[in-house]
Amino acid sequence: AVLVQATSLGLREEDPLPVSFDAVGRIGGLLDLVYGPNGTALVRAARDRGIPAFDGREMLVQQGAAAFRRWFGDPVPVDAMRAALETARP
């Protein structure tokens, strides 16, 4: 099972985790749609438990890649898009 976190919890470091890992059972992966310069507490907690986890930056990159493909029909420079996102952080 993949857990997708789509609330605003995690925008602030003091936010509680939006899920109890003990309560949801086995998780094969996690996507937290919140993103920020230091990742999210939820992603860090999942990774600490050995769960593959990503924050919303990867979704942002993939949405951009899909739009690029649709608009231009060219190969998508996903690595360049990821690098641009990393350097654009405040």
Side-chain angles (χ1 to χ4, degrees):
V2 175
L3 179 69
V4 178
Q5 196 295 109
T7 75
S8 61
L9 286 174
L11 287 172
R12 299 176 311 212
E13 278 299 316
E14 64 271 11
D15 285 345
L17 291 181
V19 66
S20 165
F21 288 100
D22 296 331
V24 295
R26 187 178 180 291
I27 299 172
L30 181 134
L31 176 61
D32 187 351
L33 299 185
V34 171
Y35 58 93
N38 300 316
T40 67
L42 181 60
V43 168
R44 289 189 297 273
R47 288 178 178 166
D48 287 348
R49 289 165 174 78
I51 300 168
F54 299 92
D55 70 11
R57 290 176 294 170
E58 184 60 24
M59 184 170 172
L60 180 64
V61 167
Q62 293 302 324
Q63 286 175 323
F68 188 97
R69 189 177 309 104
R70 188 169 278 243
W71 277 91
F72 301 109
D74 294 332
V76 180
V78 175
D79 291 336
M81 294 170 79
R82 277 192 195 103
L85 179 60
E86 291 302 315
T87 59
R89 287 182 174 177

